[in-house]
Amino acid sequence: MPSFPEYRPRRLRRTEPLRRLIQETHLSASQLVLPLFVRSGSKVRKPVGSMPGVSQLSVDEMLRDVDEASEEGVGGVILFGLPDSKDATGSSAWDDKGPVPNAVRALKKQFPQIVVITDVCMCEYTDHGHCGILRDGEVDNDATLELLARAALAHAAAGADIVAPSDMMDGRVGAIRRALDSQKLTSTAILAYAAKYASAFYGPFREAAESTPQSGDRRGYQMDAANSDEAMREVWLDIEEGADAVMVKPAGPYLDIVARVKQETGYPVAAYQVSGEYAMLLAAAERGWIDRERAMLESLMGIRRAGADFILTYFATETARLLS
Ligand code: PBG
């Protein structure tokens, strides 16, 4: 490779058209997925304190937000449910009349062009806030699988394009695939939260989803931040069990994992820019310490550059608007 003064990298950085010509990574609205928190009722829009701009929404209000997102070309939405009642087994998770199935049906009717993903987990539905059912204070992996499969079935039967298990139980992708296929829901795809780390960056989400564990933490099932080879084992397991796409979460602090998963599997990879990444950026921007729009676009471009095909982000609509 020639070096200075023969080669001057600055030559192709001089003007915007030159920079665009050699741009390697592209960010587009169709690659963004907007997370939404849905609850029952009507005309409900309850702001989440730690996530400015994000609210818990009744289905009618949710449709207004999706109308806006869809106008801007946002590719998809992912739904989290807030049930009216919780119990030890999270039995409202598979209620066909629950907020998520209701939201899916309304979305499929009004916005057929937007991809509808549902988050499948027990933590929003259990009174103890853990992602599965408890036995002797520990989450019982195998007993939880059947419940997750029932929840996924309810979402798929309502018309979800993709179900996304985020619980981190072993074997859940296979259990969900078998349940879907047994009901002839062979076209419903599975996006596995395959490498999901036990993270401090989920803090604001737990306020939004009212899913903070009442005792203990999630380190017994979510991954340790120190591990990368283990993430690959998780990812391959989910792929072998039938995952159509895999997710890395959080995104920003785990870009090396995003890159490795993309390079080593060649599978569609999603990355979740989580609530804490969002809150952190907004808090600094509110204080005038960083430029909101530039930091937002840069953080998302970084996630794409690392290898993510699509990104779950609370900035989806705002970013799509800026890009258009
Ligand atoms: C549910 C779930 C969580 C998130 C997505 N699905 C929280 C958790 O595991 O505690 C976090 C998303 C975010 O922080 O934006 N298991």
Side-chain angles (χ1 to χ4, degrees):
M1 183 179 134
S3 58
F4 178 84
E6 290 80 25
Y7 183 57
R8 292 173 181 264
R10 287 184 53 191
R11 281 186 196 120
L12 294 179
R13 284 185 208 137
R14 283 175 45 243
T15 66
E16 190 60 15
L18 282 170
R19 289 191 289 271
R20 292 291 72 86
L21 200 64
I22 61 159
Q23 181 172 340
E24 298 175 34
T25 309
H26 296 269
L27 180 65
S28 71
S30 61
Q31 299 163 322
L32 304 176
V33 173
L34 177 69
L36 295 163
F37 301 96
V38 285
R39 53 185 310 153
S40 62
S42 67
K43 297 199 164 47
V44 181
R45 181 172 288 268
K46 197 174 161 223
V48 179
S50 50
M51 300 177 74
V54 175
S55 298
Q56 296 178 354
L57 305 166
S58 51
V59 171
D60 53 333
E61 289 291 324
M62 182 272 304
L63 291 170
R64 291 172 49 170
D65 284 22
V66 176
D67 190 32
E68 215 185 323
S70 163
E71 278 294 302
E72 302 297 345
V74 166
V77 297
I78 180 163
L79 304 172
F80 296 92
L82 291 124
D84 289 333
S85 67
K86 305 188 184 208
D87 59 26
T89 51
S91 60
S92 51
W94 51 87
D95 178 4
D96 174 51
K97 307 264 174 331
V100 171
N102 282 342
V104 170
R105 282 185 290 265
L107 284 168
K108 287 310 310 174
K109 203 155 111 201
Q110 283 201 36
F111 303 101
Q113 76 288 2
I114 210 156
V115 176
V116 177
I117 309 175
T118 62
D119 182 89
V120 175
C121 194
M122 303 311 294
C123 64
E124 297 123 74
Y125 303 93
T126 51
D127 51 14
H128 46 74
H130 276 289
C131 301
I133 54 174
L134 296 179
R135 196 175 55 188
D136 305 327
E138 243 194 89
V139 174
D140 185 338
N141 190 90
D142 298 11
T144 300
L145 298 182
E146 191 203 330
L147 311 186
L148 292 165
R150 289 173 78 170
L153 265 183
H155 300 172
D161 298 296
I162 304 179
V163 292
S166 68
D167 51 282
M168 288 299 276
M169 296 303 116
D170 297 331
R172 87 267 204 231
V173 173
I176 290 171
R177 185 71 273 161
R178 284 190 294 278
L180 293 176
D181 290 355
S182 75
Q183 298 301 311
K184 306 236 174 355
L185 292 161
T186 51
S187 304
T188 310
I190 299 178
L191 164 63
Y193 282 74
K196 177 173 176 179
Y197 287 86
S199 172
F201 293 100
Y202 304 152
F205 172 94
R206 291 179 186 172
E207 181 194 340
E210 299 174 3
S211 65
T212 307
Q214 299 304 304
S215 64
D217 55 41
R218 301 207 206 288
R219 286 182 292 183
Y221 40 102
Q222 297 180 349
M223 283 188 54
D224 187 326
N227 297 352
S228 165
D229 288 340
E230 187 191 356
M232 294 313 302
R233 292 198 293 277
E234 281 281 6
V235 165
W236 281 120
L237 272 174
D238 286 354
I239 290 173
E240 280 158 18
E241 288 176 28
D244 300 282
V246 289
M247 197 192 311
V248 175
K249 177 183 169 193
Y254 298 89
L255 293 181
D256 58 322
I257 309 297
V258 173
R260 237 188 119 176
V261 171
K262 187 65 201 175
Q263 281 163 16
E264 293 183 27
T265 69
Y267 262 67
V269 175
Y272 199 143
Q273 182 180 53
V274 301
S275 58
E277 298 176 77
Y278 175 79
M280 208 161 54
L281 204 148
L282 285 188
E286 261 174 25
R287 292 188 165 204
W289 290 349
I290 58 172
D291 181 277
R292 175 187 175 122
E293 290 181 357
R294 288 186 54 205
M296 175 180 85
L297 291 175
E298 187 177 334
S299 66
L300 294 170
M301 188 61 87
I303 297 166
R304 286 271 303 128
R305 190 189 62 243
D309 297 292
F310 59 104
I311 307 174
L312 287 70
T313 174
Y314 302 94
F315 288 123
T317 306
E318 186 180 349
T319 301
R321 193 176 297 122
L322 269 179
L323 294 174
S324 68

